[in-house]
Amino acid sequence: MSAPNIVTGFQKKTRSVTQIRGTKPSFHNSQLLVSTGVPSLDHILGGGIAVGTVLLVEEDTYGNYAKVLLKYFIAEGITVGHEILVTSADSSPEEIIKELPGPMLSEPEPAQKVESHMNIAWRYQDLPPVKTMPASTGFGHYYDLTKKMPEKLLSGSKVTSFDMKDLLDVEESTSRLGSSYRNLFLKLHEVIEKNGYTTTQAKPQPERNILRIALQSVGSPLWTSTKNLAANECSGLDTSLTTFLYLLKALLRQSYAVCVLTVPTHLFMVSPLYTGPTV
């Protein structure tokens, strides 16, 4: 007697993962991740930076480490073919691109075998040597600060830069955003919409790409016009930076973009020698 056919309504749930070059799904929630350009930092962050999020890096007093980290982030995007958008008030965005470190795409040559009097167990003699650096893959690369990014990679990448002079308006801004933050947000919104980086736009999966946004020294006085600086000193309250970060986070949440920005928080610290009134 044959067994009866049993029909159940159980179906195994499978989550479709979007595959984009230079990304990988998270082991925790299958969210797309991109590399920071520093594999050890990717490990600390749980595999990388989640697409659609903002990574805020606190600058040290001189800002050297944060600037190097930002260059690694941009260099990784150029290596894997992501679109880059750079804005800085401290230095020219073009100079930042020219000073990007070169990737270490080739494996180091194996050292010549040296005769040794040390006896090795026979079971380990035929094993391949251990590599100190993992093989080059599409996610996470190592970079050499002593070398420059190859011109071939730079010429084949799409890089957009905004000069701070173009972002500052002569007229006073009447919104909660300063003129530079308002104009930068509008330009970011335009690039995301125009180049098809929103999650709501229908686009073939092979044509999907990631937009990497690099913002250096956000919150620096160079991001604010002279008139706004004087007004902020009188009122004692400036919400331009926090409002911009709030809007930026909401914008990236629905887009195939990721942002790394550095903030000189030491400029916001109240000096212990200050004896004026506190709020």
Side-chain angles (χ1 to χ4, degrees):
M1 181 176 180
S2 60
N5 295 329
I6 301 177
V7 180
T8 63
F10 173 78
Q11 292 182 353
K12 184 180 179 180
K13 292 185 178 181
T14 58
R15 181 180 297 178
S16 60
V17 180
T18 304
Q19 296 182 356
I20 305 177
R21 56 185 175 181
T23 67
K24 71 175 183 180
S26 171
F27 291 107
H28 303 286
N29 52 15
S30 299
Q31 188 174 9
L32 283 182
L33 303 176
V34 299
S35 175
T36 60
V38 184
S40 57
L41 180 58
D42 294 338
H43 177 72
I44 296 175
L45 297 176
I49 313 176
V51 174
T53 61
V54 181
L55 177 63
L56 190 149
V57 180
E58 181 181 2
E59 293 185 4
D60 55 288
T61 305
Y62 302 100
N64 296 329
Y65 297 103
K67 291 179 181 178
V68 172
L69 181 60
L70 198 66
K71 291 179 181 178
Y72 278 134
F73 173 73
I74 300 173
E76 177 67 18
I78 292 180
T79 302
V80 299
H82 292 166
E83 184 175 351
I84 308 297
L85 192 149
V86 186
T87 302
S88 175
D90 295 347
S91 55
S92 172
E94 289 75 13
E95 292 296 328
I96 297 177
I97 299 299
K98 291 181 181 179
E99 296 175 354
L100 293 179
M104 301 170 61
L105 298 178
S106 59
E107 296 291 342
E109 297 182 358
Q112 296 181 354
K113 188 175 182 180
V114 181
E115 293 294 336
S116 177
H117 298 287
M118 183 181 298
N119 295 325
I120 303 177
W122 61 270
R123 67 183 68 180
Y124 303 122
Q125 291 179 356
D126 296 331
L127 293 179
V130 178
K131 296 181 179 180
T132 57
M133 184 177 66
S136 176
T137 60
F139 188 95
H141 298 83
Y142 290 87
Y143 296 89
D144 189 353
L145 288 173
T146 62
K147 299 180 180 179
K148 299 296 183 181
M149 177 68 65
E151 189 64 29
K152 183 178 181 181
L153 289 177
L154 289 176
S155 59
S157 59
K158 187 175 182 181
V159 180
T160 304
S161 60
F162 295 138
D163 195 345
M164 188 55 58
K165 296 179 181 179
D166 301 330
L167 297 177
L168 289 173
D169 286 341
V170 178
E171 298 180 359
E172 186 76 14
S173 175
T174 57
S175 63
R176 292 186 177 182
L177 284 174
S179 59
S180 59
Y181 296 110
R182 184 189 71 243
N183 294 336
L184 177 59
F185 178 79
L186 294 177
K187 289 183 178 295
L188 292 176
H189 186 275
E190 179 183 357
V191 171
I192 291 176
E193 289 285 344
K194 184 178 179 180
N195 297 347
Y197 286 108
T198 59
T199 56
T200 57
Q201 293 177 336
K203 199 172 185 179
Q205 184 167 324
E207 299 180 5
R208 283 288 183 189
N209 201 0
I210 299 296
L211 174 64
R212 289 180 177 242
I213 304 172
L215 308 179
Q216 180 176 317
S217 298
V218 179
S220 169
L222 298 176
W223 283 69
T224 310
S225 63
T226 306
K227 292 183 179 180
N228 287 336
L229 280 176
N232 295 337
E233 290 181 358
C234 296
S235 62
L237 180 64
D238 182 18
T239 59
S240 297
L241 176 59
T242 53
T243 305
F244 171 74
L245 294 178
Y246 179 81
L247 295 175
L248 177 63
K249 182 180 179 180
L251 176 64
L252 297 187
R253 187 175 297 173
Q254 300 179 353
S255 63
Y256 289 99
V258 61
C259 177
V260 172
L261 58 88
T262 64
V263 179
T265 55
H266 60 277
L267 298 179
F268 311 143
M269 300 289 184
V270 178
S271 174
L273 299 179
Y274 178 73
T275 56
T278 59
V279 179

